[in-house]
Amino acid sequence: MFSPQGPTLRELTVQALSSVERGYDLLAPKFDHTPFRTPDRILEATGEALRGRGPSGGLFEAGLDVCCGTGAGIGVLRSLCRERVVGVDFSTGMLTAARQAVAGPPRTPAVTYLRADARALPFTAAFDLAVTFGALGHFLPAERAAVFAGVHRALRPGGIFAFPIAAPPPPRSALYWTLLGFDVVMRVRNLVWRPPFVMYYRTSSLGAVRADLRAAGFAVEVMPVRGAARRPDGSPGWGLVVARKP
């Protein structure tokens, strides 16, 4: 549908009528050929913004990619961490694709993948950097507290949780109405079809996310993502949320 290597409309329909886990298992082999994957320029800008912030000569010891998908963000962590990198995801299919992407001779830092629910991360004080890319829409607003609490628990004191977040499009733009229409369709779908498929674009506003991070115990700052497209009024199109565990 999006490219010759991407999923067909029929495949996307089957995915959307599945559970979140099963849907991403089905989509995994073609996920990187869809616009749902975080663009490389945003990944690279995130890495640049975090470079030099680690406690060991500017580097971090261990990094965690929450909802790692096919592993697009793992490269960001490998450029910033010197000891180990861990990717966690709920979908076995996505983890399989991620493992295949890093197949080959061992490299430093070592990368491991673990199937886990981001709402119940099984780590305590194990990392000094955590990231996530494009995953917040898979959690209802009431679930974000558990996700952020788990990341806070997984970080060592002084650790950073960072992720890019897109600015809302202006109401007069086509993108605004596209995202609104998508969310409405998903809400109707979840009212009439089981199992639910949670993916909403308009439930993770910066204000709400920042409040939930602070409630979880983080100190929060937001900076523009360098190199990202700007909105029609000239304001940044993306912001990088940097939440630090005291």
Side-chain angles (χ1 to χ4, degrees):
M1 178 179 178
F2 304 108
S3 72
Q5 297 79 32
T8 64
L9 180 59
R10 179 184 180 280
E11 288 172 326
L12 286 174
T13 301
V14 172
Q15 180 219 3
L17 294 176
S18 306
S19 66
V20 176
E21 179 184 358
R22 177 59 178 159
Y24 276 98
D25 285 349
L26 294 171
L27 184 60
K30 300 182 178 181
F31 180 79
D32 286 348
H33 301 287
T34 73
F36 309 129
R37 180 188 182 275
T38 301
D40 286 338
R41 68 181 185 280
I42 302 300
L43 297 171
E44 293 164 2
T46 299
E48 290 174 6
L50 295 174
R51 194 159 289 119
R53 287 177 171 247
S56 302
L59 290 174
F60 298 88
E61 294 294 327
L64 173 67
D65 189 350
V66 183
C67 302
C68 65
T70 56
I74 294 297
V76 174
L77 289 178
R78 295 193 88 161
S79 72
L80 298 170
C81 301
R82 65 181 189 179
E83 181 182 311
R84 67 189 179 104
V85 170
V86 177
V88 299
D89 202 278
F90 192 47
S91 164
T92 301
M94 297 293 264
L95 290 172
T96 297
R99 290 188 181 100
Q100 292 171 346
V102 297
R107 296 169 54 196
T108 302
V111 178
T112 57
Y113 290 99
L114 175 70
R115 184 180 181 276
D117 189 331
R119 295 165 296 188
L121 291 171
F123 308 109
T124 301
F127 304 94
D128 44 15
L129 175 62
V131 297
T132 192
F133 296 97
L136 293 184
H138 289 301
F139 303 103
L140 297 172
E143 296 175 319
R144 279 199 303 264
V147 176
F148 292 167
V151 175
H152 189 276
R153 185 175 60 252
L155 288 171
R156 298 163 183 154
I160 288 175
F161 178 34
F163 52 90
I165 188 167
R172 293 184 179 182
S173 68
L175 181 58
Y176 175 91
W177 293 102
T178 298
L179 298 182
L180 175 61
F182 181 93
D183 282 7
V184 169
V185 169
M186 291 304 297
R187 289 186 183 280
V188 173
R189 177 253 188 248
N190 289 333
L191 284 173
V192 302
W193 193 268
R194 291 290 183 273
F197 189 94
V198 177
M199 179 59 223
Y200 298 110
Y201 283 101
R202 303 173 73 253
T203 58
S204 301
S205 69
L206 177 58
V209 167
R210 183 159 37 192
D212 288 346
L213 286 167
R214 287 172 174 162
F218 287 102
V220 184
E221 63 173 309
V222 182
M223 61 184 69
V225 173
R226 186 176 301 175
R230 290 189 169 269
R231 305 175 75 203
D233 63 1
S235 60
W238 288 76
L240 181 67
V241 176
V242 179
R244 185 179 292 273
K245 179 177 179 176

